[in-house]
Amino acid sequence: MVSEMPSREYVQSARRDNLCVCQPRYAIYYTTFANHPLTVAAENWFGRSAFEQRGKNAAERPDAVIGEPRRYGFHATLKAPFRLAAGTSIEDLETDLDAFASTTRPCPIGRLRIGVLAGFFVPAQKILGVATFASRIVETFDCFRAPFDASELCRRDIGGLDEAETEQLVRWGYPYVFESFRFHMTLTNRIAEHQRPSLEAELRNHFGTIVDEDYAIDALTLFEQQNPEADFFVRRRFTLNPGVRF
């Protein structure tokens, strides 16, 4: 799944243009349903709900700790944020998501574990079946994704990406797809090593045994961001079909 485009050079040259994009972005995420204990715990952690179009509550934790994941809302990425491609519409995307969900079984995840991934605290799990499921989402819905423009590329930090990940960023809109994918639900910004022990204890106390549930991707959740400065909110949830045979 490698692009022939010289992607690192492409990203760097695009940064010199830095155009403005004000179109909505959409993302296909996994999240537990609105009133699930994991959702509620995450909302209390962030001080906002992605399921409700209202202002943030006063957060106990500073933006330096939770600013970025709070803006995106609690989720696991299946198809990273994208603008709609020319000739497509949000109604078309929702129709295809509906059709996909009706013919697709839930995907088992299992228990989650709070740990550190690339400096970020996450509940995570590494299961081959989840990676395969996520790869289907990436490929199936890529026809709806507009290619990155200069302003989007210039906001991406490619310094920590290897060549394959940089190529995947340009080709698929996200560096961590296919073999690079790992299921995770981000809870913090990147945290300095000396700050991690106390924060890990706080997270384990906050989420307790909620992460021990036998989780499954039982729905695809379509998130929407109205403009680059806005928070992401849930637009619609598409329940998968447990009656579909293997």
Side-chain angles (χ1 to χ4, degrees):
M1 305 275 183
V2 176
S3 167
E4 296 179 357
M5 182 184 300
S7 54
R8 186 170 293 272
E9 292 80 2
Y10 179 73
V11 173
Q12 291 168 342
S13 66
R15 285 179 169 167
R16 293 192 287 268
D17 299 326
N18 194 19
L19 304 175
C20 176
V21 176
C22 295
Q23 295 172 274
R25 289 197 302 166
Y26 301 93
I28 303 171
Y29 289 157
Y30 163 72
T31 188
T32 43
F33 58 82
N35 295 320
H36 189 282
L38 181 61
T39 305
V40 174
E43 290 173 354
N44 291 335
W45 176 259
F46 288 138
R48 90 164 181 100
S49 171
F51 284 89
E52 297 180 11
Q53 292 274 2
R54 57 180 173 81
K56 299 180 180 72
N57 298 327
E60 297 178 10
R61 298 156 195 91
D63 280 353
V65 174
I66 61 168
E68 275 300 291
R70 185 186 198 200
R71 185 164 70 93
Y72 283 86
F74 185 60
H75 72 277
T77 299
L78 299 173
K79 182 73 174 170
F82 57 92
R83 292 176 296 108
L84 288 175
T88 67
S89 69
I90 186 57
E91 292 78 16
D92 294 336
L93 174 58
E94 290 180 325
T95 296
D96 280 21
L97 280 165
D98 223 355
F100 183 95
S102 69
T103 57
T104 302
R105 289 181 56 85
C107 176
I109 300 169
R111 295 172 58 182
L112 300 176
R113 180 181 61 83
I114 291 179
V116 179
L117 180 65
F120 301 84
F121 275 99
V122 297
Q125 184 61 276
K126 189 169 185 178
I127 300 176
L128 179 61
V130 179
T132 302
F133 182 90
S135 297
R136 285 183 62 201
I137 304 296
V138 168
E139 293 182 304
T140 299
F141 296 97
D142 201 60
C143 58
F144 289 97
R145 181 183 63 85
F148 279 143
D149 72 3
S151 69
E152 291 168 308
L153 284 173
C154 79
R155 289 196 296 269
R156 297 306 301 248
D157 178 10
I158 65 167
L161 303 181
D162 62 28
E163 190 61 31
E165 290 167 346
T166 306
E167 291 177 349
Q168 287 168 175
L169 170 65
V170 175
R171 172 62 185 87
W172 299 102
Y174 192 55
Y176 308 114
V177 295
F178 306 118
E179 291 81 4
S180 303
F181 174 84
R182 180 171 176 180
F183 178 92
H184 66 280
M185 307 178 84
T186 307
L187 293 169
T188 69
N189 294 349
R190 194 184 303 273
I191 302 298
E193 193 165 354
H194 71 276
Q195 297 175 306
R196 293 176 190 172
S198 61
L199 190 56
E200 181 173 2
E202 185 180 356
L203 280 162
R204 291 187 183 280
N205 180 64
H206 182 84
F207 285 91
T209 59
I210 295 171
V211 295
D212 294 337
E213 182 179 319
D214 189 18
Y215 286 92
I217 299 175
D218 57 356
L220 304 180
T221 306
L222 182 63
F223 277 58
E224 180 175 12
Q225 181 194 39
Q226 284 296 317
N227 62 69
E229 305 305 317
D231 290 336
F232 280 80
F233 285 95
V234 172
R235 178 182 173 95
R236 188 175 162 193
R237 204 162 180 269
F238 300 82
T239 302
L240 302 182
N241 185 355
V244 174
R245 294 187 178 182
F246 289 103

